Amino acid sequence: MDYTSTLTDTEVKCLEYAVYNNKNWIQETAINRAEKAKQEILAKNIAHCNANSIAIAVGEEAQVTQAYTLGVVKTFKEVSDAL
């Protein structure tokens, strides 16, 4: 999935001061955060499935989908909107 982000000239200059390659840094930051979230989702899904004698889906992608399908996790937006 492609995302577009717009930075001001000043923000670009500041980011260039801090990192070697703006685009790569932004992409790697998103990938790393997604990986951390995936590990949290997998742990919650495994715990839920084991506690409720539910067969765990095969493969990480299937397990993430299973966690959402079973209601083990919700999107951040869903949680925030419910407050």
Side-chain angles (χ1 to χ4, degrees), residues 9-20:
D9 288 341
T10 300
E11 290 167 335
V12 169
K13 288 176 184 176
C14 293
L15 197 53
E16 288 174 338
Y17 169 80
V19 300
Y20 184 80

Side-chain angles (χ1 to χ4, degrees), residues 7-80:
L7 302 174
T8 67
D9 288 341
T10 300
E11 290 167 335
V12 169
K13 288 176 184 176
C14 293
L15 197 53
E16 288 174 338
Y17 169 80
V19 300
Y20 184 80
N21 182 305
N22 293 354
K23 184 177 178 182
N24 287 352
W25 182 81
I26 292 166
Q27 184 174 4
E28 288 299 318
T29 300
I31 290 169
N32 289 335
R33 184 58 185 99
E35 178 63 28
K36 181 178 178 183
K38 180 176 75 172
Q39 295 306 318
E40 293 172 12
I41 292 167
L42 294 176
K44 288 180 179 204
N45 189 58
I46 290 169
H48 175 81
C49 289
N50 285 336
N52 294 285
S53 300
I54 298 170
I56 298 170
V58 177
E60 291 181 342
E61 287 184 25
Q63 290 172 26
V64 169
T65 299
Q66 182 181 38
Y68 277 102
T69 301
L70 294 175
V72 175
V73 296
K74 296 179 180 181
T75 66
F76 192 86
K77 182 180 183 327
E78 289 172 327
V79 172
S80 295

